[in-house]
Amino acid sequence: MKKFLDQDFLLHNETAKTLYHTYAAKMPIIDFHNHLSAQDIYENTQFNDIAEVWLGGDHYKWRAMRTLGVAEEKVTGDASAKEKFAAWAQSIPYLIGNPLYHWTHLELQRYFGIDTLLNEQSAMEIFTQCNAMLKQETFRVRGLLDMQKVQAMCTTDDPIDDLKFHQLIAEDSSIELQVLPSFRPDKAVNIELSWFNAWVDQLADVVGYQIEQLTDLFKALESRMDFFVSCGCTVADNGIDVFVYTTDVTQTEAETIFLKGRAKIALTPEEIEKYKAYVLLFLGRAYAKRNWVMQLHIGALRNNNTRRLHEIGPDTGYDAIHNAFDIAKLGQFLNDLDAADQLPKTIIYDLNPADNHKVVTLMQCFQDGVTPGKLQFGSGWWFMDQKDGMIDQMRSLAANGVLSQFIGMLTDSRSFLSFPRHEYFRRILCNLLGEYVELGEYPHDLEFLGQVVQNICYYNAKAYFGFDIK
């Protein structure tokens, strides 16, 4: 029986152990998609306690706690930090096979040097020990990032954001970490949602002119893209729950639909699809013009519990995996961009594993023979960033694409303690490659495979995004 979370955790063959310990473990981190705060990084925030840094905003943990009957007061409510941490500690032993069990103990080990298993009995000792360490200077935000050798990261930013703290970080020579913005224009696309008009008005305030026509909206978005470029942005991110697209829309139709939306006139599903298709095509072309990477996060079924949505708000753990992924529409979108030589480098994140091979085979239709891995199959995302999800994603990419060109892992996280997830991914990657070797399905060429591992962990992403990291 193997010991839990020892040095060979998740490494089940000798090749995997060599690949991880010799090649993967030492690689720094590029985290090209997360939801962390640039302000916290610039101000080098010091957290009050482990509950604040660990449980705040973590809907993964919240979902598990609710399932175990923990009252909402101790999940997102007004209970004290100690009470919330105790509730989490009591929950943890029951999460057999859940990545939260692994992540929790990896984070305790890697940041705090704590090997003790978290449970009801150990909760207060661990709470006290972590809180004492968090008071140290090295446990401020930048210290936590340094511990995990994070070299570059891309936050997720609304077009109306002023990016003040990204600018301040770039101007501060004492901060070696690159913190770059990502352009997230979802609110410009989702015309059917209640906040669309208020957001367009905010955008108008930022750019300094009225947005009365769709051409005004496009002008404003391009202006904000250029501002993002001035702050080092090289990537856009688009959250698309259901990918809708049609080529059957004219500029006049799209303009008319925009005006109806601005007038708060109810739109038909067909009108919504036409508007979104027109705007997405504009965005793709604008990204290509700036040599940006276009990220497409597809397949979330959001806010399923409307009672909880009204009580607690969005992004609190009431989302699921959607099954409405029309691969033909995605193919038409990519083709329309490619036909005009305006298809940017693109990463497609698929939330439903049933669609993995569809996405990979579609991607291969648009590789250009010039840019290595121009179209990428994004790492296991959200509900899929666990062991089985990562293995399924990489096996699909290996079977129908080219795994060696993969740009690897990201945290997609709101927690500064989430970076051991890169280690988790790297161990799973090395074990998968090790299996191919041990089963006689690939030669025992450790030097070559070691370079492949380091490329997937770091160098592929560095080249793909054009990061200027010394």
Side-chain angles (χ1 to χ4, degrees), residues 14 47 61 173 177 201-202 258 267 284 298 383 425 466 469:
E14 293 306 312
F47 296 102
K61 294 185 177 78
S173 60
L177 170 70
D201 291 339
Q202 288 179 290
F258 175 75
L267 299 174
I298 303 173
F383 301 114
F425 163 81
I469 303 172

Side-chain angles (χ1 to χ4, degrees), residues 10 28 53 55 199 213 234 269 291 317 324 334 348 362 404 432 435:
L10 297 175
V53 65
L55 301 178
W199 181 84
Q213 307 288 333
T234 62
N291 197 30
L334 298 176
I348 303 169
L362 179 64
S404 63
L432 176 62
E435 285 183 2

Side-chain angles (χ1 to χ4, degrees), residues 99-168:
L100 286 168
Y101 194 86
H102 295 155
W103 296 345
T104 293
H105 291 100
L106 270 175
E107 290 163 18
L108 286 174
Q109 279 194 14
R110 300 302 180 259
Y111 290 107
F112 302 98
I114 295 175
D115 294 319
T116 304
L117 296 179
L118 180 63
N119 52 42
E120 184 175 4
Q121 292 71 38
S122 64
M124 288 304 100
E125 178 184 351
I126 291 176
F127 183 73
T128 301
Q129 185 175 346
C130 289
N131 289 348
M133 296 178 77
L134 286 169
K135 290 182 171 62
Q136 300 172 21
E137 185 69 21
T138 54
F139 280 80
R140 289 176 177 267
V141 161
R142 291 185 219 159
L144 295 173
L145 295 170
D146 285 344
M147 288 180 200
Q148 291 294 304
K149 299 184 290 187
V150 182
Q151 288 190 345
M153 54 189 290
C154 296
T155 57
T156 303
D157 307 280
D158 192 286
I160 66 174
D161 289 348
D162 62 14
L163 305 184
K164 169 186 174 182
F165 292 100
H166 292 82
Q167 294 171 322
L168 290 171

